[in-house]
Amino acid sequence: MQRIINDPSMVVEDMLKGFAKVHDDIIHVDKENPRVVISNHAKDKKKVGIVTGGGSGHKPAFIGYCGKNMVDAVAVGEIFSSPTAKSFYDCIKAVDQGMGVACLYGNYAGDNMNVKMAMELAEDDDIEVKTVVANDDVASASKEDIKKRRGVAGEIFMWKVGGAKANMGASLDEVIAAAQKAIDNTRSVGVGLGPCTIPANGKPNFTIKEGTMEFGIGHHGEPGIKVEELASAKDMAKEMTSLVCDDIPFTAGDEVAVLVSGLGATPVMEQYIFYDEVEKELRDRGITVYKSYVGNYFTSLEMNGVTLTVMKLDDELKECIDMEVETMGLTQF
Amino acid sequence: MQRIINDPSMVVEDMLKGFAKVHDDIIHVDKENPRVVISNHAKDKKKVGIVTGGGSGHKPAFIGYCGKNMVDAVAVGEIFSSPTAKSFYDCIKAVDQGMGVACLYGNYAGDNMNVKMAMELAEDDDIEVKTVVANDDVASASKEDIKKRRGVAGEIFMWKVGGAKANMGASLDEVIAAAQKAIDNTRSVGVGLGPCTIPANGKPNFTIKEGTMEFGIGHHGEPGIKVEELASAKDMAKEMTSLVCDDIPFTAGDEVAVLVSGLGATPVMEQYIFYDEVEKELRDRGITVYKSYVGNYFTSLEMNGVTLTVMKLDDELKECIDMEVETMGLTQF
């Protein structure tokens, strides 16, 4: 295991120390609970609080989206494991200012359970909490079972929209409605070309044969739809764009935001090559890219591969997407 | 070769197409020469032009540092190969506004030769060009042979300082002096844990045995000082910080900027773990971190490993480092 770490069981602890040092202008770690990261701007003004959380190993997600006009507090889990209910609860308490808290997170069993428990604790404190559960991963369940789909990189759009809306002074219901619309309008799919290794395990948790790719792979290496021969960037983009666009469907005349993310070990050069093909595919369908993001936005340790996320825009979503943010993972001017 | 590409010999072409689409708010590709990337802000006001260039495969370097208040034009080479003299010359012509051009690049034989030829062409056009040649890689030659050292991630500080100074309205000599001071005050060292493959070659250009690391590796896989047993993040940080700090030397009371960069396939989590140890080492020496950067700032395709860059600051360098920039690779607010 070729890794730059100290103790494999302490990687999250050690990472958080470095993160807090580098980004002390944006965030701080809660004094009582070291698994809670809070934006320095969380209480700049009275507004709905935005909370998320999830397993570690997806950097910049989740703590990299904590900051001005985006997420106010993040509950931090172990590698690929849900944060505790206590951490979600501490996040909620930390950012509530009487207008309620929007908990915007991804559809995983552990997160669902722990958020639910945290909400019960918050209810005892008379804090109103509402949720949006991201389910943008097209490959993780059929359209009939859409509520079973997992949340992946589309969560970034959900946080961006929810955070912007809260910053505009919207009510909890308005924030929830906008974030729900963001995720309802968003579809993602991933392709895996190489596995990753959880440090405490020491061995890859799945394999991908040289010359093949796992189409529809999940963010923790969950099996995809099929294993197929490694395709060119063009063919990969064609297949992924089709799957994503046919699901909503996206149609000619639509304006979209596109996010291409490497999974950790994918050279950024390849991500731009892939994006170029995606944009051509979208253009061929009469779909216009309003805004695009290419880079390591939502990773899976050192997995090799790429994810495609597309969100259909309307005026409200555009206004939210355009709002400036200051976070480690996303900066916009 | 598990890659997301089309034709292995066209990766730079294809990457540039995607890059230009995503970042059209910051840069554009020159109409005449597709290997020249120009900042949209290059001629916002009359000032000294800032040019750089180098081989591809180091993303965000070099084109990712083209933009507001940093580099005005970048000559783009093939993977790990120098851009042509013509491309450097076209960059110089594109950004000269009568105040001259500072060409700030790294010490590699091909780049030295091609910049020299470009300067001769520019002389015929009466464009004044002066250079700073980055040589921050401590491991690439002894202190006695300091001029033989290669330029690595310290170039980012050189561009940041040179770009800021030009934006302040400084003369060519003042820009050159500041950029030279930046690189003279900067030292870097890298460690490799896994190799990379040039797409057109199809095979790794070197190997690193499991359980070992190449201490002092170059940005193209050039051999380091020694191969040793893979160390903990703490021991790695200790050895790298020592090498860097003892070279200038950096001493108690100094304020520094620190840049930790992954080499392409290194999880960002590990980079923060490494940074935390570096910061402790510096603190133990009485050195204060004024500003820190952690992420994939200067990579080598999908090489696994990390580089450490430290710049000693004075008031002039601080003012330059603090200036806001808008580029793909570095955004500062």
Side-chain angles (χ1 to χ4, degrees):
Chain A
M1 200 174 50
Q2 296 290 84
R3 291 201 177 283
I4 303 166
I5 58 175
N6 293 312
D7 180 346
S9 64
M10 293 292 283
V11 290
V12 176
E13 245 43 60
D14 290 351
M15 174 271 291
L16 281 171
K17 283 182 206 153
F19 191 88
K21 282 181 186 173
V22 176
H23 302 294
D24 59 0
D25 53 332
I26 303 175
I27 56 92
H28 60 279
V29 174
D30 183 57
K31 280 197 192 85
E32 308 287 320
N33 184 341
R35 292 309 181 93
V36 167
V37 170
I38 302 170
S39 165
N40 296 346
H41 294 282
K43 294 191 169 174
D44 278 359
K45 58 174 161 188
K46 191 168 174 179
K47 65 176 198 65
V48 170
I50 306 288
V51 164
T52 192
S56 293
H58 300 295
K59 191 122 309 55
F62 296 78
I63 54 177
Y65 298 106
C66 189
K68 190 177 169 187
N69 296 347
M70 214 161 162
V71 176
D72 294 312
V74 176
V76 180
E78 275 304 306
I79 299 289
F80 293 179
S81 303
S82 176
T84 63
K86 174 77 164 55
S87 292
F88 276 114
Y89 171 60
D90 287 343
C91 285
I92 291 166
K93 272 196 307 182
V95 305
D96 176 59
Q97 298 185 82
M99 288 181 70
V101 172
C103 186
L104 314 175
Y105 68 101
N107 186 30
Y108 296 91
D111 296 321
N112 284 324
M113 184 184 72
N114 288 316
V115 168
K116 198 176 165 210
M117 282 163 55
M119 286 172 73
E120 286 166 7
L121 294 168
E123 207 181 331
D124 294 342
D125 296 341
D126 288 325
I127 302 175
E128 191 178 16
V129 182
K130 295 192 173 179
T131 63
V132 177
V133 187
N135 59 341
D136 53 306
D137 185 355
V138 174
S140 56
S142 71
K143 206 170 175 177
E144 289 66 46
D145 273 334
I146 199 163
K147 298 238 162 193
K148 290 188 186 165
R149 286 179 177 173
R150 295 181 294 257
V152 284
E155 294 177 34
I156 298 167
F157 288 150
M158 173 178 69
W159 300 322
K160 184 83 177 65
V161 168
K165 204 76 193 172
N167 187 55
M168 291 173 201
S171 69
L172 179 57
D173 283 338
E174 288 166 342
V175 169
I176 290 291
Q180 186 67 56
K181 179 162 74 175
I183 208 70
D184 286 346
N185 280 15
T186 298
R187 296 293 184 276
S188 298
V189 63
V191 159
L193 279 72
C196 61
T197 298
I198 297 175
N201 293 357
K203 281 182 190 160
N205 52 346
F206 59 102
T207 56
I208 294 174
K209 225 176 92 187
E210 178 84 18
T212 69
M213 61 185 198
E214 177 100 27
F215 189 85
I217 197 164
H219 263 171
H220 311 92
E222 294 94 338
I225 300 169
K226 58 187 171 181
V227 175
E228 55 185 15
E229 203 181 324
L230 180 59
S232 67
K234 184 180 179 56
D235 289 344
M236 215 182 279
K238 197 181 183 73
E239 195 172 4
M240 291 167 78
T241 308
S242 285
L243 191 73
V244 159
C245 286
D246 295 346
D247 198 80
I248 285 199
F250 295 77
T251 49
D254 284 349
E255 281 185 286
V256 296
V258 179
L259 186 144
V260 167
S261 179
L263 285 172
T266 316
V268 178
M269 180 177 73
E270 299 179 24
Q271 300 171 33
Y272 281 108
I273 293 173
F274 175 75
Y275 173 78
D276 183 49
E277 299 295 345
V278 167
E279 193 275 338
K280 282 189 251 175
E281 285 296 325
L282 291 169
R283 192 152 24 102
D284 285 350
R285 290 166 179 261
I287 298 167
T288 308
V289 178
Y290 176 74
K291 206 149 201 164
S292 53
Y293 306 82
V294 175
N296 292 314
Y297 284 104
F298 204 125
T299 64
S300 301
L301 295 168
E302 78 287 11
M303 205 189 289
N304 184 7
V306 70
T307 63
L308 170 64
T309 298
V310 184
M311 175 167 70
K312 188 193 274 211
L313 295 171
D314 62 13
D315 288 343
E316 183 187 29
L317 294 176
K318 271 188 203 171
E319 191 186 3
C320 292
I321 284 290
D322 284 342
M323 185 175 283
E324 59 152 354
V325 287
E326 291 175 11
T327 69
M328 168 256 167
L330 186 65
T331 306
Q332 213 158 286
F333 33 81
Chain B
M1 199 173 52
Q2 295 292 82
R3 290 202 177 284
I4 302 166
I5 58 175
N6 293 311
D7 180 346
S9 64
M10 293 292 282
V11 289
V12 177
E13 244 46 57
D14 291 351
M15 174 271 291
L16 281 171
K17 283 181 206 152
F19 191 87
K21 281 180 186 173
V22 176
H23 302 294
D24 60 359
D25 53 331
I26 303 174
I27 57 91
H28 60 278
V29 175
D30 183 57
K31 281 198 191 83
E32 308 286 321
N33 184 342
R35 291 308 181 93
V36 167
V37 171
I38 301 170
S39 165
N40 297 345
H41 294 282
K43 294 191 169 174
D44 278 358
K45 59 174 162 188
K46 192 168 174 181
K47 65 177 198 65
V48 170
I50 306 287
V51 164
T52 193
S56 293
H58 300 296
K59 190 127 307 51
F62 297 79
I63 53 177
Y65 298 106
C66 190
K68 189 178 169 188
N69 295 348
M70 213 163 164
V71 175
D72 294 311
V74 176
V76 180
E78 275 303 308
I79 299 290
F80 292 0
S81 303
S82 176
T84 62
K86 174 76 164 56
S87 292
F88 276 115
Y89 171 59
D90 287 344
C91 285
I92 291 166
K93 272 196 308 182
V95 305
D96 176 59
Q97 297 185 81
M99 286 180 72
V101 172
C103 186
L104 314 175
Y105 69 100
N107 186 30
Y108 296 91
D111 296 321
N112 284 324
M113 184 185 72
N114 289 316
V115 168
K116 198 176 164 208
M117 282 164 54
M119 286 172 73
E120 285 166 8
L121 293 168
E123 207 181 331
D124 294 342
D125 296 340
D126 288 326
I127 302 174
E128 191 177 17
V129 182
K130 295 190 174 182
T131 63
V132 176
V133 187
N135 59 340
D136 52 307
D137 184 356
V138 173
S140 56
S142 71
K143 206 170 176 178
E144 289 66 46
D145 274 334
I146 199 163
K147 297 241 161 193
K148 290 188 184 164
R149 286 178 177 174
R150 295 183 294 257
V152 285
E155 295 178 34
I156 297 167
F157 287 150
M158 172 178 70
W159 300 322
K160 184 83 177 64
V161 168
K165 204 77 192 172
N167 186 54
M168 291 173 202
S171 69
L172 180 56
D173 283 338
E174 288 165 342
V175 169
I176 290 291
Q180 185 68 57
K181 178 162 76 177
I183 208 71
D184 287 345
N185 280 17
T186 298
R187 295 292 185 277
S188 298
V189 63
V191 160
L193 279 72
C196 61
T197 298
I198 297 174
N201 293 356
K203 282 182 188 160
N205 52 347
F206 60 101
T207 56
I208 293 173
K209 225 176 93 186
E210 178 84 18
T212 69
M213 62 184 197
E214 177 99 29
F215 189 84
I217 198 165
H219 262 171
H220 311 92
E222 294 94 337
I225 298 169
K226 58 187 171 181
V227 175
E228 55 186 14
E229 204 181 323
L230 179 59
S232 67
K234 184 179 179 56
D235 289 345
M236 214 183 279
K238 196 181 183 73
E239 194 172 4
M240 290 168 79
T241 309
S242 285
L243 191 73
V244 158
C245 286
D246 294 347
D247 198 81
I248 285 196
F250 295 75
T251 50
D254 284 349
E255 281 185 285
V256 295
V258 179
L259 186 143
V260 166
S261 179
L263 286 172
T266 316
V268 177
M269 180 177 74
E270 298 179 25
Q271 299 170 35
Y272 281 108
I273 294 173
F274 174 75
Y275 173 79
D276 182 50
E277 298 295 346
V278 167
E279 193 274 340
K280 283 189 250 175
E281 285 296 325
L282 291 170
R283 193 151 26 101
D284 284 351
R285 289 166 179 261
I287 298 167
T288 308
V289 177
Y290 176 75
K291 205 148 203 166
S292 53
Y293 306 83
V294 175
N296 293 313
Y297 284 104
F298 204 125
T299 64
S300 301
L301 295 167
E302 78 287 9
M303 205 189 288
N304 184 6
V306 70
T307 62
L308 170 64
T309 298
V310 185
M311 175 166 70
K312 187 193 277 212
L313 296 171
D314 61 14
D315 288 343
E316 183 187 28
L317 294 176
K318 272 188 202 171
E319 190 186 3
C320 293
I321 284 291
D322 284 341
M323 185 175 282
E324 59 152 354
V325 286
E326 292 175 10
T327 69
M328 167 256 168
L330 186 65
T331 306
Q332 212 159 288
F333 33 81

